[in-house]
Structures are given as C-alpha cells and as structure tokens.
C-alpha cells in the first residue's frame, strides 16, 4: 500500500490544484461577462465614468478667410464629425441582464412584493367592508381608459391622414421635384400647413369628446409620434434625393420602434409569439401595479385637498416619493422595454436597444436621458444637428438647450391636454434641475445615490402638485367663470381657499 499511497496523494493534490485553477478562470470569465453586460445599463443610469469629447469640433480657419468661407468650412467639418445612427442586431439591455440568474432573482423579488401588495389591498378592502367586486373591477383604471372607442377612432383617422394624404403628396413631390424656388416654397408651406393641421384637428376632436386622461394620453402621444415619424421620413428622403421610398417601407417605419428612418433595418429571427404575449402581459401587470399605488397612496391623501400648508406639503412630498418613483419605473419598464420589445418582435426589428443613446453629445449623467432618449433620437437627428451646422461649436450649448426645451414642451403639451389644465410643474422641473443635471459629470457612488434620490423626490413633488391641482379643480369653484381659456391656464389650487 505504501507505493500506491505515495503516488496517489500527489496525483490527487495536483488534480485539486488544476481544478481550483479552472474554477478561478471560470470565475474571472463570468465576472468579465457580467461587467460587459452591466456597462451599458450603468451608462444609462448615470454611473459610467467615461468622458467622451464633443462631436462637433470648431475648425480653425486662417485669418484671411472670409466669414462666409469659415462658416461653410465649419458646417462641412460638422457634417463629418456628427455621428450617424447605427442600427445593428442586438438585444435590449434589460433582456440581457435578465438572462443572469441574480437579476432574475431581483425581478422575481419585485414581482413578489407587488403581488403581496395587491393581496394586502384586497384583504384590507374586504376587512373595511368594501365590495370585493368593486375592488377587482378596477374602477380607477376603467375610468382612466374610458371612451376608448372614441380614442381608437381618432387614432385611425390620424393614421389615415398620414398614409392616404401625406405619403401620396410626398411621393408626387419626389417623382418630379419642382425646379423653381417659388414652387419649392409652396410645397414647404403645404407641408407646414399639414403638420399644423395634424396638431390642431386631433386635439379639437379630443376636447370635443372629453376623453379621460389615459385615453387622451394615447391620442396625444400617437399624434406626437406620427408627426415625428412623418418629419423623419420626409427629412431623410428629401435630403438624399432620388425617388420616394416604397409604401411598404414607409408603413413598416410607421410602426417600427424607432424614430430614425432607414430604408432597411436589421431583421431578427422569426417572431416568437410567446415572447410577444409575455411582454404584453408585463405591460398589463405594470398598469395594474401602478393602479394599486395610485389607489392606495394618491386618492386617500389628495382627494380632499384644497390648499395645504407648507409643512403639510413638504411632509406629503416625502411621503409620495416612493410611490411616485415606483410609478415612474413601472412606466419606463412598461413602455420603453416591454411595449417596444413586443412590437419589435412582431416586426422582427433587430435593434432592441431603444433606450440607449447613440450620440452622447452632452454626456448626460442623469436619469433624464434614459426616459427621453426615444424623443431625443428624433430631436437630435433633425434639430440639434441643424443648429450645430448653422451656429457651430460655440453655440452647441444653445442647440442642446433648444432640443431640451422642445422635448419639455412636447411633454407639457401632452400632460396639459390629458389632464385638462395647464400646470407647468413638469416643465419647470425639466428646465431647472433636469437641465442642470444634464451637464453634471459625477462619477462617485454618492453622486449616483444623489441622482436617484433627487429623481424619487422630484416624482413625489410632481405627484403632489398635479394631484393637488386635479382635486382643487373638482372641489373649488373657478375664479374665472365664463372665461375657459383663462381658467385652463391659471392653476386653481392657487386661488382655492
């Protein structure tokens, strides 16, 4: 036995060392893969530490160049430096992260907590003597999405106008573009008139049928989306010249989850209908959880509000920070992840990183770019670029501010006519703290915690302000009877006793 033991013990020790080395290598490989997958998400959440240079560079013309030549050289240089949107086949960041067991565990924990929260709502309502049928019928959700047939009718009319009027008109223009400057200006005036009519007519229909908030949001967001889609299509097609793209390409772009037009996009695998159903189910689940948060935290607190004291308002803001932040996260996950992934899967659209910016011209370090990247795709491609080409690097901050202002105005427009009153709290928050955070370059963990705390606190303040105004308009008489425009513009909570 001695010779056998003397040879087997070293062999066993060597095999254990080899196994340990293999485990260490496997651990390093897994950590590297995890780090690569986290990089994209951390960049969105504001924790990235990279610092990219501004893409618009100021050329240095010689002293004998004329201002006109200098501006032309600057525009030419800017056209070369400004990046283009690159589409490639890739999964969304959250989809990649949810492939890891640890992140699936976090998702399951969140679902379990929200499920227990819903169960506690049912139990509390039953113990308080409320009808279980009334609780399960989701009255707030049914009211918010009321008059849905009218909303669908307006939605179909908007699509018919784009498909049957705007596209044939541009097809005719592209087939034989006018040679004279007068006719080109006439076509441009017709296009502007169509966009203005598209802005006014659906809004008048919405106000005529008095759509509830959620149904109104459907109409107004679709109105904004179709206006941006049409402009992106006309801009890209007219700038490159040539014949008008086919109707099939335009129809595909109209429903594809992107606001940047291309003749072709990366195509994914055949449609997985179970994946589509799963994402649509996630949208429904997020809407249900948001409904529970509003019923439990919003209605009991704000339904009898008139004009609170400053101490009561501050206390309610901090109390509303958690539900407000959760509603925002649920809206982000439902719209920018689940809803867009469902449509991308149905259309076999390959590039799924909808909420990942490609330009990064101002190094956004805050949550704002995550929420508004979809709108900024179009705003940057067709607004920021032209401003930079015309004004150069010295006015890049002005161009960024114009893009930011236009995005804020779109959000405020949708919110004002959905709720039925003008209360520019969101606009003030965006153009105040949001615009300041846009240029911040914090890299520490404290900065990330501060940004998220500001986000939750800001959502709590917005929930307080808009809820206060909503219930003030139901509990207090108007100070401007017979003047509906003035009553719409002046917040009633300021004059409510």
């Amino acid at each position: 036995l001695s010779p056998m033991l003397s040879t087997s013990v070293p062999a066993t020790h060597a095999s254990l060392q080899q196994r340990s080395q293999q485990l260490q290598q496997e651990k390093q490989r897994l950590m590297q893969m995890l780090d690569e997958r986290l990089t994209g998400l951390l960049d969105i959440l504001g924790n990235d530490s990279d610092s990219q240079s501004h893409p618009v560079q100021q050329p240095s013309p010689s002293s004998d160049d004329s201002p006109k030549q200098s501006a032309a050289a600057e525009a030419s240089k800017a056209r070369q430096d400004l990046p283009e949107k690159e589409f490639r086949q890739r999964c969304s960041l959250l989809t990649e992260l949810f492939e890891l067991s640890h992140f699936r565990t976090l998702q399951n924990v969140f679902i379990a907590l929200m499920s227990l929260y819903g169960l506690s709502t049912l139990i509390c309502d039953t113990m308080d003597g409320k009808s279980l049928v009334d609780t399960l019928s989701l009255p707030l959700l049914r009211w918010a999405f009321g008059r849905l047939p009218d909303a669908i009718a307006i939605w179909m009319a908007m699509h018919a106008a784009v498909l049957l009027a705007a596209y044939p008109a541009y097809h005719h223009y592209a087939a034989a573009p006018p040679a004279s400057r007068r006719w080109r200006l006439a076509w441009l005036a017709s296009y502007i008139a169509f966009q203005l009519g598209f802005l006014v007519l659906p809004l008048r229909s919405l106000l005529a049928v008095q759509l509830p908030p959620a149904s109104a949001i459907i109409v107004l967001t679709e109105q904004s989306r179709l206006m941006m889609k049409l402009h992106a299509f006309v801009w890209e097609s007219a700038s490159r010249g040539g014949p008008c793209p086919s109707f099939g390409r335009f129809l595909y772009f109209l429903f594809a989850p992107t606001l940047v037009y291309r003749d072709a996009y990366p195509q994914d695998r055949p449609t997985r209908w179970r994946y589509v159903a799963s994402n649509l189910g996630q949208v429904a689940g997020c809407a249900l959880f948001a409904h529970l948060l509003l019923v439990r935290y919003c209605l009991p607190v704000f339904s009898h509000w008139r004009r609170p004291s400053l101490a009561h308002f501050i206390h309610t803001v901090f109390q509303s920070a958690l539900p407000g932040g959760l509603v925002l996260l649920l809206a982000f996950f439902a719209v920018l992840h689940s809803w867009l992934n469902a449509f991308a899967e149905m259309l076999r659209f390959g590039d799924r990183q909808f909420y990942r910016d490609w330009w990064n011209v101002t190094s956004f370090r805050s949550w704002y770019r995550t929420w508004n990247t979809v709108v900024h795709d179009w705003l940057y491609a067709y607004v920021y670029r032209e401003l930079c080409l015309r004004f150069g690097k010295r006015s890049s901050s002005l161009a960024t501010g114009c893009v930011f202002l236009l995005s804020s105005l779109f959000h405020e427009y949708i919110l004002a006519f959905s709720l039925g009153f003008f209360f520019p709290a969101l606009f003030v928050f965006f153009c105040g703290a949001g615009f300041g955070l846009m240029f911040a370059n914090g890299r520490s963990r404290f900065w990330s915690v501060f940004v998220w705390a500001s986000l939750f606190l800001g959502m709590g303040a917005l929930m307080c302000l808009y809820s206060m105004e909503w219930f003030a308009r139901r509990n207090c008489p108007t100070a401007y009877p017979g003047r509906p425009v003035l009553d719409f513009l002046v917040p009633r909570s300021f004059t409510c006793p």
Side-chain angles (χ1 to χ4, degrees), residues 149-164 219 222 226:
D150 293 329
I152 294 175
I154 300 174
W155 178 87
M156 294 179 65
M158 290 190 297
H159 280 75
V162 172
L163 292 172
L164 303 179
V219 172
E222 281 294 286
L226 290 175

Side-chain angles (χ1 to χ4, degrees), residues 49 217 219 345:
S49 59
I217 287 176
V219 172
E345 187 68 26

Side-chain angles (χ1 to χ4, degrees), residues 297 301 314-324 460:
Y297 284 100
V301 175
I314 294 176
H315 173 76
T316 311
V317 166
F318 280 91
Q319 193 177 21
S320 304
L322 182 59

Side-chain angles (χ1 to χ4, degrees), residues 300-352:
V301 175
F302 300 109
S303 57
H304 302 291
W305 263 37
R306 290 179 179 268
R307 189 168 59 182
S309 63
L310 180 61
H312 187 201
F313 178 77
I314 294 176
H315 173 76
T316 311
V317 166
F318 280 91
Q319 193 177 21
S320 304
L322 182 59
L326 289 176
V327 169
L328 179 63
L329 291 178
L330 289 170
F332 164 77
F333 183 81
V335 177
L336 295 184
H337 177 76
S338 299
W339 184 262
L340 294 183
N341 262 300
F343 268 83
E345 187 68 26
M346 286 187 284
L347 297 174
R348 297 175 57 201
F349 188 83
D351 197 337
R352 307 291 176 89

Side-chain angles (χ1 to χ4, degrees), residues 465-478:
L465 290 169
Y466 282 103
S467 299
M468 180 177 66
E469 178 64 20
W470 174 271
F471 287 106
R473 288 183 174 265
R474 277 137 188 84
N475 299 331
C476 304
T478 177

Side-chain angles (χ1 to χ4, degrees), residues 190-249:
S190 301
Y191 171 72
I192 295 175
F194 178 86
Q195 289 282 38
L196 291 176
F198 198 86
L199 181 66
V200 173
L201 294 179
L203 181 61
R204 292 187 61 182
S205 302
L206 179 149
L207 297 177
V209 298
Q210 297 182 352
L211 292 180
S215 299
I217 287 176
I218 292 174
V219 172
L220 294 175
T221 52
E222 281 294 286
Q223 178 196 47
S224 303
R225 185 183 70 88
L226 290 175
M227 291 177 65
M228 291 189 288
K229 288 265 191 180
L230 178 61
H231 186 67
F233 175 78
V234 172
W235 183 289
E236 289 289 344
S237 302
S239 61
R240 70 188 182 190
C244 177
S246 65
F247 182 78
R249 289 176 177 175

Side-chain angles (χ1 to χ4, degrees), residues 6-56:
S6 62
T7 56
S8 62
V9 171
T12 304
H13 181 68
S15 64
L16 289 176
Q17 284 185 339
Q18 184 179 4
R19 182 60 178 168
S20 177
Q21 292 176 358
Q22 292 177 353
L23 290 175
Q24 289 293 333
Q25 293 175 358
E26 185 69 17
K27 179 181 177 181
Q28 291 177 0
R29 188 184 68 82
L30 290 175
M31 294 300 295
Q32 184 179 3
M33 181 184 67
L34 179 62
D35 181 70
E36 291 175 355
R37 294 193 176 187
L38 280 173
T39 300
L41 185 61
L42 293 179
D43 177 63
I44 287 180
L45 300 180
N47 293 334
D48 56 316
S49 59
D50 64 314
S51 177
Q52 299 183 7
S53 61
H54 201 286
V56 181

